[in-house]
Amino acid sequence: MSGPTPGAAAAANGPHSSYHDYVWTGARPLTMRAWVGCLAAVVAVAWLLAWSARGTELSWSELSSGLPQIGDFLGRSFPPNWSILNRLIAPAIETIQIAIWGTLLGVLVAIPVSFLAARNLNHNRIVYQTVRQLLNVTRSINELILALVFVSAVGLGPFPGVLALALHGIGMVGKFFAESIEEIDDGPLEALRATGARPLQVIVFGVLPQVITAWIATVLYRFEVNLRQATVLGMVGAGGLGFELINSLKLFKYQDTATCIVVVTLMVVAADTLSSRLRRLIQDGRSH
């Protein structure tokens, strides 16, 4: 739905100022054919949802019957075993390091790639489509699969986790960066080109000032994602807290598992709080 209509804005000064008229962004069906089309669309969506439910075997009865097992698992997990906290400090630091370097390497490669993947900067259709498809392929492969590949290549440890996050991040961050570039105002770019500016000068003085805020927000969000993913990657031997988590599950030490989950949660909350504050500082700086 869109905002108030001009009539509603004028009525806001009248006795009925608490009421606002809104209009749909799409055209309302006015003919029988249009109404039949809307009904057909609703039926198609309902069929799609029912078909998906059958395919995923959604069963609320099975979930309700399995709640006692969930309660049993939670009962065995609490209270957490706080005595292993000292042992988790090093894996937690390793997880943060994996997330930092996975984010950094992905961003460093995504920056030049994004300029080739932006339609308004790269007018060579073949190069544009090739880079776009490479980004699609890169982000379509799950980080766990990439980590398994790199573990087989470089062995166990945090390094394959860094490589997996970086490679997947190139596809994700590169896409977001390129879309930010495509949404900028082309006026400053045309003005710079008219003065004889080189492509690098157009990027530095015309593109970057318009996208830097969105890019920083994307990098911060990607770091949060990588922090969570770094924990999961440890389950396939890529280091970090995930290695401790999967070992505690295999040994049925559920209280140790609960402690690992608490530590991971606190790390993610801390990262989210820090990135939120940084984004606010950036936005405040832009507004002033």
Side-chain angles (χ1 to χ4, degrees):
M1 293 172 64
S2 65
T5 61
N13 297 323
H16 301 289
S17 59
S18 59
Y19 297 95
H20 296 277
D21 295 328
Y22 289 87
V23 295
W24 296 100
T25 54
R28 283 178 288 184
L30 300 177
T31 64
M32 180 60 67
R33 181 177 180 180
W35 279 108
V36 171
C38 289
L39 180 61
V42 171
V43 172
V45 171
W47 177 86
L48 178 63
L49 292 175
W51 172 73
S52 301
R54 288 194 301 271
T56 55
E57 299 180 359
L58 290 181
S59 175
W60 302 113
S61 60
E62 290 187 10
L63 176 60
S64 61
S65 63
L67 289 178
Q69 284 74 20
I70 297 177
D72 178 66
F73 174 79
L74 294 177
R76 296 185 182 188
S77 301
F78 287 92
N81 183 12
W82 303 116
S83 64
I84 68 168
L85 279 177
N86 289 335
R87 198 180 75 203
L88 297 181
I89 293 176
I93 293 175
E94 190 173 73
T95 299
I96 297 173
Q97 292 169 335
I98 293 172
I100 290 174
W101 275 101
T103 304
L104 179 61
L105 294 179
V107 169
L108 289 178
V109 179
I111 289 175
V113 170
S114 64
F115 295 123
L116 298 175
R119 191 189 302 271
N120 56 340
L121 291 184
N122 184 7
H123 300 291
N124 188 320
R125 186 174 181 82
I126 296 177
V127 176
Y128 168 79
Q129 290 294 342
T130 301
V131 175
R132 277 283 183 170
Q133 295 308 316
L134 286 175
L135 292 178
N136 291 337
V137 171
T138 302
R139 68 174 178 272
S140 67
I141 306 175
N142 188 270
E143 293 97 329
L144 279 174
I145 299 176
L146 293 173
L148 286 171
V149 173
F150 286 121
V151 164
S152 64
V154 301
L156 300 174
F159 187 43
V162 171
L163 295 176
L165 292 178
L167 185 57
H168 190 269
I170 293 171
M172 293 297 296
V173 177
K175 176 180 183 296
F176 291 136
F177 280 8
E179 290 179 349
S180 298
I181 295 174
E182 290 179 345
E183 294 174 358
I184 65 175
D185 182 11
D186 287 335
L189 276 61
E190 296 299 331
L192 286 168
R193 294 189 182 108
T195 61
R198 297 180 180 179
L200 182 59
Q201 293 173 317
V202 171
I203 290 173
V204 173
F205 299 106
V207 176
L208 291 182
Q210 298 189 67
V211 300
I212 190 64
T213 302
W215 280 17
I216 292 175
T218 299
V219 172
L220 293 174
Y221 174 73
R222 185 61 193 176
F223 174 73
E224 295 176 30
V225 173
N226 283 345
L227 189 61
R228 292 190 291 268
Q229 289 298 326
T231 304
V232 179
L233 296 182
M235 297 182 179
V236 295
L241 274 172
F243 186 75
E244 297 291 335
L245 183 64
I246 196 63
N247 279 343
S248 63
L249 284 172
K250 288 180 178 178
L251 297 174
F252 303 104
K253 296 182 177 180
Y254 298 127
Q255 292 179 320
D256 292 1
T257 303
T259 307
C260 293
I261 293 174
V262 169
V263 173
V264 171
T265 303
L266 292 176
M267 289 170 56
V268 172
V269 169
D272 177 70
T273 303
L274 178 61
S275 62
S276 297
R277 291 195 174 189
L278 288 175
R279 280 194 292 267
R280 281 199 298 269
L281 288 174
I282 294 168
Q283 291 170 355
D284 292 342
R286 287 283 293 220
S287 62
H288 291 87

